[in-house]
Amino acid sequence: MPIDATRPYDDQNIFAKILRGEIPSEQVYTDEWAYAFRDIAPQAALHILIIPRGEYVSWDDFSARASDEEIAGFIRAVGKVARDHDLVEPGYRLLANVGAHGGQEVPHLHVHLCGGEPLGPMIARRSQG
Ligand code: AMP
């Protein structure tokens, strides 16, 4: 069920629980600013979620409230995860869903990193007619 991205941060969301180690995740990267783990229902050969450690509902919330240090740390972590997986030369895709129209389901900012195979069109084409 897509979320309302304007609502306050809910510290009981599933990614908050993953950050606190209350539920398991398959870690691929961690640092002061970010945590990355494998998506439980991969949509590509490689599908990693990268989340900031701070409490931000969405990309909108993060870009409005996070400090420059948090933003720099998070963005650098996303790039590092891609490089660590040798994705730069073949290429990869980053995606952040925001709110209802974006189809965001978990109310803690996450960037999807997909790769490991050609990914096709960015968005499913609308049917004609
Ligand atoms: P979004 O629709 O952008 O909010 O994406 C949420 C993503 O979180 C989906 O791709 C889910 O498969 C993934 N997901 C949900 N629960 C877990 C979990 N416990 N561990 C890893 N990925 C999860």
Side-chain angles (χ1 to χ4, degrees), residues 10-47:
D10 169 12
D11 69 5
Q12 294 306 306
N13 78 75
I14 195 152
F15 293 171
K17 291 180 179 175
I18 283 176
L19 274 175
R20 292 194 294 264
E22 293 169 10
I23 62 168
S25 62
E26 200 178 327
Q27 175 183 314
V28 300
Y29 179 76
T30 184
D31 68 17
E32 182 180 357
W33 306 109
Y35 181 71
F37 54 102
R38 289 187 189 276
D39 195 293
I40 205 167
Q43 303 292 310
L46 182 70
H47 187 171

Side-chain angles (χ1 to χ4, degrees), residues 29 56 66 75:
Y29 179 76
Y56 300 101
I75 298 288

Side-chain angles (χ1 to χ4, degrees), residues 41-52:
Q43 303 292 310
L46 182 70
H47 187 171
I48 293 169
L49 299 172
I50 306 147
I51 64 178

